[in-house]
Amino acid sequence: MASTSLPGGTWPLGDLTVTRFGYGAMQLAGPWVMGPPADRDGALAVLREAVDLGITHIDTSGAYGPRVTNQLIREALHPYADDLHIVTKVGATRDEQGGWPPARDPESLRRAVHDNLEVLGLETLDLVNLRLGNAEGPRAVPVAEAFGTLADLQRQGLIRHLGVSNATAGQVAEARSIAPIVCVQNMYNLAHRHDDELIGELAAEGIAYVPFFPLGGFSPLQSSALSAVAAGLGATPMSVALAWLLQRSPNILLIPGTSKVAHLRENVAGAALRLAPGDIAELDEIGR
């Protein structure tokens, strides 16, 4: 693995150390995260380039494809380097219409963990996030049974660390009362700032916050203020949005996704932008 310096440095996930700039594999599956990629060789090249750039944090899920991104990760990167850490999610499956129905009963969660182990070719999963809520966002329901199931699998040695995704602050607290967590993965970006307080609380506890859809997801961020700051820096709006996240809080880890090597390199370069205090102040107003 190359020793390339990535923007943001590193952050500990429990006893694991990962680059704050990571890679999210969701876009390697087919359209709407279903089926195989149109360009399989290109998908494998993106994963290998991520590792060559020095990225040590790859985010995936058995539901992507389903199974497709996990299969690609294994084909491209197995046997895995000691410092490469693959983070997966359980708690949702896919239906024939491309929906994301929940699958958080104990048997479904156990089956998902074993499936991730098998497809990725691992004996222990570094980190498993419990996906809560639904495609529309978090839902304030109890998590004790589901998270307790993952805690049991952790005690069996199948999972090293735990986290939660698409969770309310109350669910984060409930999960932490059952077993330690090392990260929270929620939707957050310049335009969606609902977790500002939670990010600060987690940073004080040494817990990572991992924004999904850091660039807006299927509807890219649109803002005149973002465009103005980007123009002043001679950068793209998406580069500025990534740089803002890295500078927002030291516990924020980035996992932007792409299916193109050139775009991956652009994301890495963009996140390295240094924003002046005036730029940050202007950008901070977008989500308020």
Side-chain angles (χ1 to χ4, degrees):
M1 178 178 294
S3 58
T4 306
S5 177
L6 288 163
T10 61
W11 183 267
L13 293 174
D15 62 348
L16 308 175
T17 298
V18 299
T19 50
R20 287 184 65 207
F21 191 99
Y23 172 72
M26 184 175 73
Q27 291 188 31
L28 295 184
W32 300 102
V33 204
M34 289 291 285
D39 181 2
R40 186 178 186 86
D41 289 342
L44 297 173
V46 169
L47 288 164
R48 291 169 180 145
E49 178 68 12
V51 170
D52 287 345
L53 288 169
I55 289 171
T56 62
H57 173 197
I58 293 180
D59 181 84
T60 185
S61 171
Y64 297 164
R67 299 182 114 202
V68 169
T69 61
N70 283 357
Q71 292 167 346
L72 291 167
I73 288 168
R74 181 172 183 172
E75 182 176 346
L77 304 176
H78 193 278
Y80 307 112
D82 290 342
D83 61 349
L84 178 62
H85 302 299
I86 299 170
V87 177
T88 191
K89 282 180 291 297
V90 296
T93 185
R94 305 304 301 278
D95 58 28
E96 293 181 357
Q97 291 73 42
W100 302 80
R104 293 189 288 270
D105 60 281
E107 182 54 35
S108 293
L109 292 172
R110 285 190 287 266
R111 185 166 55 247
V113 165
H114 282 281
D115 185 75
N116 274 274
L117 288 166
E118 177 186 351
V119 179
L120 288 167
L122 292 166
E123 294 183 357
T124 302
L125 297 171
D126 280 335
L127 196 164
V128 175
N129 284 308
L130 173 64
R131 184 185 189 275
L132 299 166
N134 57 32
E136 297 178 356
R139 293 292 180 268
V141 299
V143 302
E145 181 182 52
F147 198 74
T149 298
L150 294 186
D152 286 341
L153 294 169
Q154 182 183 41
R155 285 188 286 270
Q156 294 171 30
L158 300 180
I159 301 172
R160 194 163 183 174
H161 296 294
L162 298 172
V164 291
S165 177
N166 205 29
T168 68
Q171 289 169 328
V172 172
E174 184 181 0
R176 293 184 67 195
S177 73
I178 297 167
I181 67 171
V182 299
C183 73
V184 173
Q185 188 181 109
N186 277 1
M187 183 174 180
Y188 183 84
N189 54 48
L190 269 170
H192 296 86
R193 302 282 301 277
H194 52 283
D195 273 352
D196 275 342
E197 184 176 351
L198 178 61
I199 289 170
E201 293 171 356
L202 295 173
E205 298 291 333
I207 298 172
Y209 185 93
V210 187
F212 65 75
F213 293 159
L215 301 177
F218 297 113
S219 301
L221 293 171
Q222 301 289 329
S223 164
S224 58
L226 175 59
S227 296
V229 170
L233 292 169
T236 67
M238 297 302 99
S239 293
V240 173
L242 290 175
W244 177 84
L245 281 168
L246 272 187
Q247 293 172 59
R248 165 67 182 80
S249 181
N251 67 322
I252 288 182
L253 311 184
L254 299 186
I255 52 168
T258 179
S259 60
K260 304 294 184 184
V261 167
H263 189 208
L264 173 63
R265 293 172 181 159
E266 290 171 6
N267 283 342
V268 172
L273 285 172
R274 295 305 302 174
L275 303 176
D279 293 330
I280 292 175
E282 187 171 356
L283 294 168
D284 281 347
E285 293 301 314
I286 294 173
R288 294 174 179 170

